[in-house]
Amino acid sequence: MAGIVVIFDFDKTIIDCDSDNWVVDELGFTELFNQLLPTMPWNSLMDKMMEEIHARGKTIGDIVDVLKRTPIHPRVVPAIKSAYALGCELRIVSDANMFFIETILEHLGLRECFSEINTNPGFVDDDEKLRIFPHHDFTKSSHGCNLCPPNMCKGMVIERIQALLEGKKRIIYLGDGIGDYCPSLKLGQTDYMMPRKNFPVWDLICRNPALIKAEIHEWSDGEELEKVLLQIINMVAVEENDGKSSQLMSVVDCKLQTMSASTNALPQVLPVPQ
């Protein structure tokens, strides 16, 4: 579907954990991390942790080995490959870092599926030490959004993407965290928001779903992510290209195997009873 851009968060959306915590915990630096956490912003803390990990003898290879073991639901990779095969443009907007994300995607055979990754810079320096820097340099200026952490406003990233698209494509946004709420507010009436159920962004949306212009389609795990995402892609295909909808529906049916693709809209999220 050339008319769809699917934008994924990364931590707890594509992978089933927080990549920062996963690396720190698996390398045995949880106690030091917790000691330093109250003293600096998260993004700065991760750069400091990479310095400490390097100083204590851990190599880039050790970090890569940990990243290759990152937990992921078995249906997420097929979901991403299916959306890509169906012609959707895929992007990532994440508060992780480029080194973690690209290492994991390459290991999973998914890197080529994504046309763009928006995240915090992460690279190996001349001393073979991983450095992590903020997407937005908050030491020089503020991005001005009080909903987002100082190093990254995902809403600003979405606005930039929307400006480039010039309204020619629909956006499907998938996320789980507090940082995914701001971009959900930027989506339009023809877009789709897929919040992970019982995670922070879902809780925020449920407080007042009327603030979200996009259609809301919740999901709980990788299996539901795949099912809901491909259903939305199919619905858009039916709406925008009736002549080819039957062909696309058969492709979606094949991808899902056990699920018959439907053009019926999924129910929107309802407010949580107070």
Side-chain angles (χ1 to χ4, degrees):
M1 278 299 297
I4 299 177
V5 178
V6 186
I7 300 176
F8 293 85
D9 173 42
F10 190 72
D11 292 340
K12 299 181 182 178
T13 297
I14 290 180
I15 61 173
D16 224 1
C17 68
D18 180 282
S19 57
D20 290 344
N21 289 134
W22 174 257
V23 170
V24 168
D25 293 344
E26 288 294 298
L27 291 177
F29 288 82
T30 307
E31 183 177 353
L32 177 60
F33 181 89
N34 291 336
Q35 289 174 359
L36 295 176
L37 182 57
T39 68
M40 63 185 76
W42 185 284
N43 190 251
S44 304
L45 173 58
M46 282 307 298
D47 186 54
K48 176 66 174 177
M49 289 305 303
M50 294 304 105
E51 180 181 345
E52 292 293 331
I53 286 171
H54 175 77
R56 301 189 189 191
K58 297 295 183 180
T59 67
I60 295 299
D62 294 327
I63 295 173
V64 169
D65 288 342
V66 167
L67 291 170
K68 289 180 178 180
R69 302 198 304 269
T70 303
I72 182 171
H73 190 282
R75 296 312 306 169
V76 169
V77 171
I80 291 171
K81 289 184 176 181
S82 295
Y84 178 71
L86 290 168
C88 297
E89 180 184 352
L90 309 185
R91 304 188 186 208
I92 289 175
V93 179
S94 168
D95 198 6
N97 69 78
M98 190 66 76
F99 184 85
F100 286 6
I101 292 174
E102 288 196 324
T103 299
I104 292 171
L105 292 181
E106 288 170 4
H107 175 65
L108 296 172
L110 295 175
R111 181 60 186 91
E112 67 177 11
C113 295
F114 293 92
S115 63
E116 181 182 63
I117 299 175
N118 298 274
T119 188
N120 299 297
F123 61 90
V124 180
D125 67 12
D126 293 339
D127 296 323
E128 288 296 305
K129 176 174 60 180
L130 182 59
R131 300 300 311 277
I132 298 173
F133 292 97
H135 178 268
H136 175 84
D137 189 353
F138 55 87
T139 63
K140 294 182 178 179
S141 66
S142 169
H143 54 55
C145 177
N146 59 10
L147 295 176
C148 295
N151 63 290
M152 187 177 196
C153 172
K154 292 186 178 182
M156 293 179 66
V157 177
I158 293 301
E159 287 179 327
R160 179 186 61 78
I161 293 173
Q162 289 171 324
L164 294 173
L165 297 177
E166 298 179 336
K168 297 176 181 178
K169 296 184 179 182
R170 296 190 185 192
I171 292 175
I172 304 172
Y173 188 100
L174 299 89
D176 71 282
I178 293 174
D180 297 308
Y181 183 63
C182 180
S184 73
L185 296 171
K186 308 295 184 182
L187 300 175
Q189 293 182 348
T190 61
D191 298 326
Y192 299 86
M193 177 62 192
M194 287 181 58
R196 189 169 187 179
K197 188 176 181 180
N198 295 324
F199 279 70
V201 72
W202 185 82
D203 294 335
L204 288 169
I205 289 173
C206 284
R207 291 178 186 178
N208 191 351
L211 294 177
I212 309 299
K213 297 176 183 177
E215 282 192 23
I216 303 167
H217 299 262
E218 65 188 43
W219 58 281
S220 297
D221 58 22
E223 184 175 356
E224 282 195 350
L225 182 155
E226 178 184 42
K227 177 179 179 180
V228 174
L229 177 60
L230 295 187
Q231 280 185 325
I232 293 173
I233 293 171
N234 183 64
M235 286 191 295
V236 173
V238 170
E239 291 175 10
E240 296 188 352
N241 199 345
D242 289 337
K244 297 181 180 179
S245 63
S246 59
Q247 176 183 356
L248 180 59
M249 287 173 68
S250 66
V251 174
V252 173
D253 284 340
C254 180
K255 298 290 183 183
L256 287 174
Q257 296 179 355
T258 59
M259 184 197 78
S260 176
S262 171
T263 61
N264 295 327
L266 299 173
Q268 289 199 344
V269 172
L270 299 177
V272 174
Q274 299 299 317

